[in-house]
Amino acid sequence: MPPEVQDVRIVDIVGLDTQADGGTHVGSTKQIGRITVAKVENKGRGFRRLRIKITD
């Protein structure tokens, strides 16, 4: 971890995965509406990328 990183956010998507998250954050997914997982990409050993869709 770089020394300037103070906090690490862990995201647990029940039934799918638990990962450290470096993306843009909202306080709650209620702020953006319903999301669905559109695609899970394997980016190498121990790395995954989730593609999500935001729906009404």
Side-chain angles (χ1 to χ4, degrees):
M1 297 284 298
E4 65 272 10
V5 174
Q6 298 286 322
D7 299 310
V8 176
R9 181 176 175 156
I10 303 298
V11 176
D12 181 13
I13 302 174
V14 178
L16 183 63
D17 202 3
T18 302
Q19 292 283 327
D21 178 37
T24 303
H25 300 142
V26 294
S28 167
T29 55
K30 290 179 181 180
Q31 294 175 292
I32 58 171
R34 183 176 294 273
I35 62 171
T36 58
V37 177
K39 184 176 184 180
V40 179
E41 299 174 68
N42 185 352
K43 302 306 281 181
R45 185 177 180 168
F47 296 95
R48 291 187 198 175
R49 177 174 292 146
L50 294 179
R51 302 275 182 187
I52 63 170
K53 288 184 179 182
I54 300 173
T55 59
D56 292 334

